[in-house]
Amino acid sequence: MSVNELYNVWCKNAVDDADLQTELLKIHDDEDAIRDRFYRDLEFGTGGLRGVLGAGTNRMNIYTVRRATQGLANYVKASFKNPSVAISFDSRNKSDVFAKAAACVLAANGVKAHIYTELMPTPALSFAVRALSCSAGIMVTASHNPAKYNGYKAYGEDGCQITLEVAETVLSEINSLDMFNDVKFCDFDEAVANGMISFISQDVIEDYYKNVLAQGINTELCATSGLKIVYTPLNGTGNKPVREILSRIGIKDVTIVKEQEMPDGNFPTCPYPNPEIREALELGLKYCDEVKPDLLLATDPDADRVGIAVPDGDDYALFSGNEVGAMLLEYICSERTKNGTMPENPITVKTIVTTDLIEEIAKEYGLEMIEVLTGFKFIGEQIGFLEDKGEEKRYVFGFEESYGYLAGTYVRDKDAVVASMLICEMAAYYRTKGISMIQARENLYKKYGVFRHSLQSFTFEGESGMLQMKALMQHLRDEQPVDIGGLKVMAVSDYQASITTCVATGAKTEITLPKSDVLVFALENHAKVVIRPSGTEPKIKCYYTTVGNTMDEAMALEKKLIDDFSELFK
């Protein structure tokens, strides 16, 4: 069916959402706008769906959500006896609408749907899947993307985002469905009345809180530490659970950024609600100028990521995800070793783009370090492997550089609620020792060396952008650089081909991780460049690592790498 034919079908059939009809009429004579909305189906993968809100097959709307859910319903019905699915949603525009639409499709297909009564974080969805013995889970969110986006993450019965194999099965089901004729759905209130849709109880939420609190090490210090916090949930789901947990561990001096306190999918004071970037924290930093806290804490809209800023002279320094993760691992290992709660044969897990500093910390405390592909589901998967062997207590901590952390095995996704608690506990502990967070970071560098990391993202919008991304990755495979920023390439790892090649000898080593569109250029002096297309956004991401005796030395090397490698994108 042509783009224009699809457009006409939608004009005729997409009548359940007045906003979509208005949009379709508005673009009637705009060929480019029509093509952008209908040139492809919104891609369903291991990250589920993510796209711009609006009308069309290449947009997030109730029809793309219903169709995806019908595919998921077909899968769970074929794979489970008495299947059920847990559903949560964040503060984004239409998140509640999409969550209810998904529940109605499941109920109409005879699949029991358990849905939270109000917006809840991604980790709370992961928890509910396992707590309620569900076959799958759905989290309606676009994480930290701008307000024009929404999304839909699918989870397996283990509480992890679905595997590639399951995603392919669900995608096959979705592709066999006509958007308007093959999808079953029912009335939400009727499904609640007949028991096919039920609301997740407060008992489940309380059990989640208890599991978060159980990850504390020195929480008894918090109440008397004098720690002062400024917190922003960035108009998202962290507001209630983060504040509840901080209150329970005795941290009462918490100033909330009022303009970003309540749920608001337009993110009016924060166009890009990503705690990785300074822009998202600007309003919180203004509060810091007045309040003078020990710590600024910011969680993203679905509260699976957390960013921080700490006093640094007259200003506030933003810590990277790599720095916070390394500091948390050092703190957890040091304190658990000291108090005798470190398990036998402990394990830490990181992704391939996360700091290699973790390897040094693991050596110091006798941890096995497991490295996985980018995506927290692979960290969650490792916890599942341990659980299958009855060894889940070996897992100490896992994290990825993009501000996602998890202590404990009660969920299988990154959790900004437990991370917020542990960051505050760590800061409180250091405060009682007369050590600032800046000093704690410096102590880490003195102990292990300065590991400097940075990330560049290059955006490729639309159909032409997707082709550009593929061409660029192929070019790098066909014409591999011999040096980057003056540093010699020592080895090239192609995770799509599952081969690491030593440049000097030509020797090849098999990569045993699942295939992924990732290239890693290992350079001399422990430097590294990793390049991969994003799995959830129209971007190519470049990760740079340099190591030096001082920060200035590491930053000078980093600038050379960035200046050289970014020439590829001009």
Side-chain angles (χ1 to χ4, degrees):
M1 193 178 295
S2 72
V3 164
N4 285 324
E5 286 172 333
L6 271 174
Y7 168 75
N8 289 328
V9 167
W10 274 66
C11 287
K12 180 180 178 181
N13 292 283
V15 295
D16 292 345
D17 187 330
D19 292 340
L20 300 186
Q21 280 294 306
T22 300
E23 181 180 344
L24 289 166
L25 288 171
K26 186 177 179 180
I27 64 170
H28 182 265
D29 296 318
D30 190 336
E31 288 294 327
D32 290 339
I34 292 171
R35 179 166 185 78
D36 187 45
R37 286 161 175 77
F38 292 97
Y39 82 90
R40 65 166 189 162
D41 286 353
L42 199 62
E43 188 174 341
F44 186 96
T46 55
L49 298 172
R50 188 173 297 186
V52 175
L53 288 160
T57 57
N58 188 33
R59 292 289 188 271
M60 279 294 297
N61 52 66
I62 58 169
Y63 300 103
T64 51
V65 166
R66 284 175 179 172
R67 186 180 183 225
T69 308
Q70 182 66 55
L72 183 66
N74 291 350
Y75 160 72
V76 295
K77 286 176 68 178
S79 304
F80 299 91
K81 186 178 180 180
N82 301 319
S84 60
V85 176
I87 303 172
S88 185
F89 56 95
D90 70 3
S91 60
R92 287 181 174 274
N93 293 328
K94 295 194 181 285
S95 281
D96 56 339
V97 174
F98 295 161
K100 287 184 176 181
C104 291
V105 171
L106 293 166
N109 281 275
V111 178
K112 180 70 178 286
H114 301 274
I115 187 170
Y116 278 108
T117 57
E118 62 179 334
L119 71 169
M120 287 292 287
T122 286
L125 182 277
S126 177
F127 184 83
V129 169
R130 299 175 73 241
L132 299 171
S133 300
C134 292
S135 316
I138 296 168
M139 178 69 200
V140 181
T141 179
S143 190
H144 55 283
N145 285 79
K148 68 179 181 178
Y149 285 87
N150 210 329
Y152 171 118
K153 293 194 285 193
Y155 287 73
E157 63 176 328
D158 58 356
C160 288
Q161 287 190 52
I162 56 173
T163 64
L164 179 60
E165 292 75 20
V166 172
E168 288 176 346
T169 300
V170 174
L171 178 60
S172 178
E173 292 287 347
I174 294 170
N175 288 341
S176 70
L177 300 169
D178 179 86
M179 187 78 71
F180 298 106
N181 297 319
D182 297 336
V183 178
K184 299 177 183 177
F185 60 94
C186 62
D187 181 78
F188 183 85
D189 292 334
E190 288 181 8
V192 171
N194 66 31
M196 287 307 296
I197 296 175
S198 67
F199 294 107
I200 296 173
S201 71
Q202 186 61 38
D203 289 345
V204 173
I205 299 173
E206 182 58 33
D207 197 18
Y208 165 70
Y209 287 160
K210 287 178 180 177
N211 277 274
V212 169
L213 291 165
Q215 309 314 315
I217 303 169
N218 294 309
T219 49
E220 73 282 355
L221 296 174
C222 294
T224 56
S225 67
L227 193 74
K228 185 185 291 188
I229 302 291
V230 168
Y231 170 57
T232 172
L234 297 179
N235 301 116
T237 60
N239 187 35
K240 286 188 177 181
V242 170
R243 293 170 73 176
E244 178 67 23
I245 291 297
L246 295 187
S247 175
R248 291 194 190 190
I249 65 172
I251 297 177
K252 305 295 186 181
D253 195 346
V254 180
T255 300
I256 306 300
V257 179
K258 285 296 180 184
E259 297 90 335
Q260 298 172 341
E261 178 181 15
M262 302 308 294
D264 189 337
N266 293 315
F267 309 114
T269 62
C270 182
Y272 201 87
N274 182 355
E276 298 180 52
I277 61 174
R278 190 177 187 93
E279 180 188 13
L281 275 61
E282 285 294 351
L283 195 53
L285 290 168
K286 289 180 180 177
Y287 272 66
C288 289
D289 289 338
E290 298 177 13
V291 175
K292 307 297 183 187
D294 300 287
L295 188 69
L296 167 64
L297 202 65
T299 53
D300 71 341
D302 65 323
D304 62 353
R305 303 173 193 240
V306 57
I308 68 169
V310 302
D312 183 16
D314 295 329
D315 197 4
Y316 278 77
L318 275 62
F319 280 13
S320 71
N322 279 315
E323 290 171 330
V324 172
M327 289 176 69
L328 281 172
L329 181 62
E330 172 74 11
Y331 169 73
I332 290 168
C333 289
S334 174
E335 291 305 298
R336 291 190 66 176
T337 299
K338 190 187 303 180
N339 65 25
T341 60
M342 185 70 88
E344 288 188 25
N345 305 313
I347 286 174
T348 184
V349 189
K350 80 175 190 73
T351 67
I352 60 174
V353 298
T354 298
T355 178
D356 293 332
L357 175 53
I358 299 311
E359 189 171 357
E360 302 303 315
I361 298 172
K363 288 177 185 175
E364 173 74 9
Y365 294 100
L367 277 72
E368 177 185 349
M369 189 193 80
I370 297 176
E371 197 167 54
V372 297
L373 291 177
T374 307
F376 214 91
K377 59 179 171 287
F378 297 111
I379 296 176
E381 183 180 54
Q382 291 296 320
I383 299 173
F385 292 156
L386 291 171
E387 188 176 62
D388 290 343
K389 296 185 290 184
E391 299 178 358
E392 63 270 23
K393 289 184 179 179
R394 292 177 62 196
Y395 173 85
V396 173
F397 187 65
F399 82 99
E400 57 186 3
E401 46 68 46
S402 55
Y403 294 59
Y405 320 95
L406 177 64
T409 61
Y410 59 99
V411 297
R412 300 297 161 80
D413 210 338
K414 49 188 176 284
D415 185 356
V417 181
V418 76
S420 295
M421 181 189 79
L422 286 171
I423 289 166
C424 289
E425 180 193 306
M426 175 173 65
Y429 171 82
Y430 287 136
R431 194 177 196 280
T432 63
K433 303 293 183 183
I435 299 170
S436 71
M437 289 286 279
I438 287 287
Q439 289 170 322
R441 184 179 66 176
E442 290 307 309
N443 291 342
L444 190 74
Y445 287 151
K446 286 177 184 176
K447 187 174 182 180
Y448 299 108
V450 177
F451 285 70
R452 173 75 181 174
H453 306 276
S454 59
L455 167 64
Q456 270 188 314
S457 293
F458 299 90
T459 301
F460 298 82
E461 295 283 6
E463 183 179 13
S464 62
M466 299 295 287
L467 296 173
Q468 280 181 275
M469 287 167 64
K470 289 179 180 178
L472 183 58
M473 293 300 292
Q474 191 59 49
H475 171 73
L476 282 169
R477 288 185 166 93
D478 294 340
E479 299 182 33
Q480 295 173 0
V482 295
D483 63 76
I484 303 173
L487 296 177
K488 190 184 301 181
V489 176
M490 309 300 289
V492 180
S493 298
D494 185 341
Y495 285 78
Q496 190 135 280
S498 298
I499 293 292
T500 294
T501 304
C502 175
V503 173
T505 66
K508 297 184 185 298
T509 306
E510 183 184 3
I511 297 171
T512 57
L513 296 177
K515 292 182 182 298
S516 183
D517 192 7
V518 179
L519 288 169
V520 178
F521 299 98
L523 312 176
E524 57 186 329
N525 300 335
H526 304 290
K528 184 190 293 184
V529 175
V530 182
I531 180 168
R532 71 176 185 92
S534 171
T536 56
E537 302 169 274
K539 294 180 177 179
I540 279 184
K541 294 188 174 183
C542 301
Y543 304 81
Y544 304 96
T545 297
T546 52
V547 182
N549 294 317
T550 66
M551 181 60 74
D552 287 344
E553 183 181 319
M555 289 177 68
L557 285 171
E558 175 190 70
K559 185 177 186 305
K560 290 180 181 179
L561 292 188
I562 292 173
D563 288 348
D564 190 359
F565 205 69
S566 58
E567 286 292 319
L568 288 167
F569 301 91
K570 291 183 178 178

